[in-house]
Amino acid sequence: MMKRSLLCALMLAFSALPAGTASLVKTYSYFSIGGRTLDDIGTQLTKLGPQVKSTGMRHPGATQMAFTTRISYAEKSNSCAIADANVTLKVKVILPEWRRSRKADAGVRLFWDTLSADIKRHEDRHVEIAKNHARDLEDALKATYPQKTCQEAKAKAAEIAAAILAKHDRAQMQFDRVETINFESRILRLLRYRMERVENGRLPG
């Protein structure tokens, strides 16, 4: 099964900073696997894939995330409001890299190309989901009404952040559930598509 869990860390830092916009910092890292058969590749992925702390299991790919929220406040005599909010999403996508055996046949190579592309698409979609929620969080913080004190304004900001990040976690888990259910049919469909392109000369065999 290709079920993968999201590695997610949350950092909330409230400080007075210049105005900014939601931003994404994205990096990739790779782990190497070997093997010449599908069974070999499956074993290598299970043995060497990134370990998810929440499950203790290894997976074919993973995405580590950190949301950093920086907020500045404007205090008046009888109120305190969020003057500006900036959310930064930092992600690290971890993907497999197959050291292709010269003895691996064309069918194995085709399957690997299909599988690795699907793993990357899956992890990149996790990033898209997170980016959308980072934008929602920033917009929600900027739209917050003034509170009586800055302490209350900070508490309101923390409440908003907790609600949106909980929504984010649910969206990520729902995505994983759907992907797991549809994995077999999706891979078979992608394999057929790639085979057709190879036969038509659009991809190398």
Side-chain angles (χ1 to χ4, degrees):
M1 299 296 290
M2 302 299 293
K3 183 177 181 180
R4 298 184 283 279
S5 299
L6 181 67
L7 300 176
C8 188
L10 167 64
M11 296 186 297
L12 286 175
F14 298 102
S15 57
L17 292 175
T21 58
S23 60
L24 171 67
V25 180
K26 183 179 181 182
T27 59
Y28 289 94
S29 69
Y30 300 87
F31 63 96
S32 296
I33 64 170
R36 56 179 289 192
T37 68
L38 296 181
D39 285 343
D40 290 341
I41 291 173
T43 299
Q44 292 272 296
L45 288 173
T46 301
K47 181 180 180 181
L48 302 176
Q51 188 171 24
V52 177
K53 292 181 180 179
S54 61
T55 64
M57 298 174 61
R58 293 186 178 275
H59 301 270
T63 302
Q64 298 174 334
M65 300 187 180
F67 292 85
T68 301
T69 302
R70 303 183 187 278
I71 301 175
S72 60
Y73 297 88
E75 186 173 14
K76 296 182 179 180
S77 58
N78 59 351
S79 68
C80 183
I82 292 177
D84 191 56
N86 174 251
V87 178
T88 299
L89 172 64
K90 185 175 181 180
V91 302
K92 178 182 178 182
V93 180
I94 306 171
L95 299 172
E97 189 172 54
W98 182 36
R99 299 191 303 273
R100 296 190 176 195
S101 170
R102 293 181 179 179
K103 296 182 179 180
D105 62 34
V108 174
R109 294 196 300 270
L110 178 63
F111 182 84
W112 170 256
D113 289 343
T114 304
L115 177 62
S116 61
D118 190 64
I119 293 172
K120 183 179 185 300
R121 176 206 56 80
H122 177 95
E123 299 306 332
D124 284 346
R125 179 54 186 155
H126 274 307
V127 176
E128 286 296 320
I129 292 171
K131 186 169 65 175
N132 290 339
H133 284 80
R135 187 182 303 112
D136 290 346
L137 174 55
E138 186 172 281
D139 290 345
L141 289 170
K142 290 179 177 179
T144 304
Y145 291 110
Q147 304 294 312
K148 291 182 179 180
T149 66
C150 284
Q151 192 65 29
E152 291 181 8
K154 292 178 181 180
K156 184 63 176 179
E159 178 185 331
I160 291 171
I164 291 179
L165 289 170
K167 182 181 177 182
H168 161 264
D169 290 346
R170 291 192 297 270
Q172 297 285 17
M173 288 187 290
Q174 175 62 19
F175 172 64
D176 270 333
R177 281 194 293 268
V178 172
E179 289 276 289
T180 299
I181 293 170
N182 297 331
F183 171 71
E184 184 174 345
S185 61
R186 184 174 69 253
I187 291 297
L188 289 175
R189 184 177 66 254
L190 291 171
L191 275 172
R192 285 194 295 269
Y193 175 69
R194 280 182 175 265
M195 289 174 66
E196 290 173 359
R197 295 194 69 189
V198 169
E199 291 171 356
N200 292 331
R202 297 179 181 176
L203 286 177

